[in-house]
Amino acid sequence: TDGSINTAGTLTTTGITASNGGALGTVVSGTAGSVTLEATSVAATGAIVTTGGANGAGGNVTATASTGALNIGTVTTTGGTANGNSAGSAAGNITLSGVNVVGTTLTATGSAATTNLSNKAGGAGGAITIDSTGGVTLTALTASGGAATTTSGAGGNAGKIDISNTVAGNVTTTTLTAGTGAATGTGAGGSTTGGVSVTNSAGSITF
């Protein structure tokens, strides 16, 4: 090949995990791991996990099939579990594109803060973006913020879910959730600017 995505052929893989290490105490973990899959068609049947380690952000997952189908298993980019007296961590983003995107559960949820009376905020949800030109078949998608702790903590910002299909095919999915994390006391509620968007100029949309 010439090293470009358009001549890369079919990429087949099973499970992949790429996460940062767990931090100690209230220290924030290192740079989040990430996964990028690019080929003319992609078959990633195993679980892809970029969940953060303790006090670590989740990493981004990007899978692109330039001229063929994208088949993918579960994808989880959740923020890592918070240590004591620590805020929740943000989720990574999930970006999938191809000619017919087929998958199962996609989760980009911020983690909850820990330790009551610590007044810590929840982590933000990530963005889930699906772009297809031949139909979309997925199950549950979740991009929500994490909960705060008492007495007064801010809820994590909601992520967003954006599914777009053009040219041909239908969009079929089940539950789509992009909510804010629960605040406590006088803590601010998380932002809901992301929301959920599903469009299909080529066929039907079924939930």
Side-chain angles (χ1 to χ4, degrees):
T1 69
D2 63 2
S4 70
I5 187 173
N6 292 323
T7 59
T10 299
L11 173 62
T12 302
T13 184
T14 54
I16 300 174
T17 300
S19 299
N20 46 23
L24 298 176
T26 58
V27 175
V28 176
S29 183
T31 303
S34 64
V35 173
T36 301
L37 307 175
E38 295 180 336
T40 51
S41 61
V42 175
T45 56
I48 297 177
V49 179
T50 57
T51 297
N55 281 14
N60 297 331
V61 173
T62 302
T64 304
S66 60
T67 59
L70 170 63
N71 290 277
I72 199 161
T74 60
V75 180
T76 306
T77 65
T78 301
T81 300
N83 291 330
N85 296 306
S86 298
S89 296
N93 301 323
I94 301 172
T95 305
L96 309 178
S97 62
V99 181
N100 191 17
V101 175
V102 177
T104 56
T105 302
L106 310 180
T107 305
T109 300
S111 61
T114 58
T115 309
N116 288 336
L117 307 181
S118 67
N119 304 322
K120 298 298 184 180
I128 299 177
T129 305
I130 314 298
D131 187 5
S132 176
T133 56
V136 175
T137 303
L138 296 166
T139 56
L141 278 62
T142 306
S144 295
T149 58
T150 57
T151 300
S152 292
N157 292 339
K160 67 175 182 177
I161 297 172
D162 187 356
I163 300 174
S164 175
N165 184 67
T166 59
V167 183
N170 301 320
V171 173
T172 302
T173 185
T174 57
T175 306
L176 307 179
T177 306
T180 59
T184 58
T186 58
S191 169
T192 58
T193 56
V196 175
S197 173
V198 182
T199 60
N200 185 11
S201 62
S204 64
I205 298 173
T206 304
F207 295 100

